[in-house]
Amino acid sequence: MFDGVILLDKKPGASSNYFLGQLKKKLSLPRGFKVGHTGTLDPFASGLLVCLLGKATKLAPFFPSDKAYQATLKLGFCTDSLDITGNVLQHQVVKATLADLKAAADLLVKNDLQDIPAFSAKKNQGVKMYQLAHKALPTPLMQKKIAIYELSLTAFENDELDFYTHCSSGTYIRQIGSDLAQLTHNLGTISVLRRLRVGDFKVENAQPLEEITLSNLIPITALFADLPHLS
């Protein structure tokens, strides 16, 4: 009865798991009922969280994994977490032009390797990197394969760069922002991040937590309606 997908428009300020817990309460789901998602959002980020309920949690590996985001990069300073929630490490006078940033974006689209931020859940010898970073312990330089399908700069004013990106699952938007800044010999920090799309799911079809009811549940049969059936 409760198996399927709910599209949640997450607000900034709390973790994705917090919102999953609140969703269970909102829908009065029974204790022990499984819920999950197809990819976490940082606490400061907003936007589409694809929530999986019941048997749909077992289908997570089969959901499309590409994602699209709108972000704002604030130039002139950097933080340890590469986003606005971190501790400021350094300030710098901004020297980048829009042409410089566009050239940097063109380079990033061609790159299929990305540094993994120190403040991430990636494990090193069984320990999550953010746990080391929070204790000011050294974190190893690690990279991962990614794909940036599109990186479009949409506005640049008052040292703030707005950009849109369509990328593979697991791509760190915080790192894209940092790389854009560094390639132009500047410092930068992601100040706003909003997920617009996960596969074919779009944020405009999502609802904020307070407006969600079971009528918003997309049943499993509807998710795979276009696939051929065995007779």
Side-chain angles (χ1 to χ4, degrees):
M1 178 180 179
F2 302 125
D3 303 320
V5 166
I6 282 185
L7 304 182
L8 172 67
D9 188 350
K10 175 189 173 298
K11 292 181 179 179
S15 70
S16 298
N17 285 335
Y18 169 83
F19 275 93
L20 285 182
Q22 293 302 303
L23 180 64
K24 287 182 69 173
K25 291 181 180 179
K26 181 73 166 55
L27 299 180
S28 300
L29 298 176
R31 177 174 294 195
F33 190 84
K34 290 185 178 181
V35 296
H37 54 67
T38 63
T40 190
L41 274 171
D42 288 333
F44 84 100
S46 69
L48 181 60
L49 189 66
V50 180
C51 303
L52 309 177
L53 276 61
K55 295 178 181 178
T57 57
K58 299 179 180 180
L59 302 175
F62 303 101
F63 282 87
S65 58
D66 64 301
K67 298 175 172 68
Y69 298 86
Q70 185 73 34
T72 299
L73 174 67
K74 179 67 176 176
L75 294 169
F77 71 99
C78 64
T79 68
D80 51 7
S81 64
L82 308 184
D83 64 51
I84 200 67
T85 67
N87 298 310
V88 176
L89 300 177
Q90 188 178 352
H91 286 89
Q92 180 192 60
V93 176
V94 178
K95 299 177 182 179
T97 66
L98 181 57
D100 295 333
L101 291 162
K102 284 183 176 179
D106 290 341
L107 286 175
L108 284 181
V109 170
K110 299 174 184 177
N111 193 3
D112 62 355
L113 283 176
Q114 185 181 60
D115 292 342
I116 298 175
F119 282 82
S120 70
K122 183 69 175 178
K123 289 185 177 180
N124 178 54
Q125 298 182 345
V127 180
K128 293 180 179 179
M129 289 175 61
Y130 72 78
Q131 294 174 324
L132 297 174
H134 277 304
K135 296 177 181 179
L137 297 174
T139 55
L141 177 60
M142 300 173 66
Q143 293 185 314
K144 66 182 300 185
K145 290 273 290 184
I146 61 153
I148 301 175
Y149 309 116
E150 182 181 351
L151 182 54
S152 304
L153 311 188
T154 55
F156 183 42
E157 187 175 2
N158 297 326
D159 297 335
E160 289 189 342
L161 175 71
D162 295 336
F163 67 88
Y164 165 89
T165 186
H166 174 208
C167 54
S168 60
S169 179
T171 302
Y172 292 96
I173 311 305
R174 291 176 288 138
Q175 190 63 51
I176 289 180
S178 179
D179 290 342
L180 279 171
Q182 289 188 28
L183 285 170
T184 60
H185 307 290
N186 284 271
L187 302 175
T189 297
I190 294 294
S191 59
V192 179
L193 179 60
R194 182 164 174 79
R195 184 188 284 161
L196 305 178
R197 184 165 62 80
V198 176
D200 292 330
F201 298 118
K202 298 179 180 179
V203 73
E204 50 261 42
N205 297 322
Q207 301 294 327
L209 178 66
E210 56 270 18
E211 295 181 15
I212 287 177
T213 67
L214 280 174
S215 66
N216 300 118
L217 182 73
I218 305 171
I220 293 177
T221 51
L223 295 172
F224 300 100
D226 293 336
L227 294 180
H229 291 73
L230 293 175
S231 57

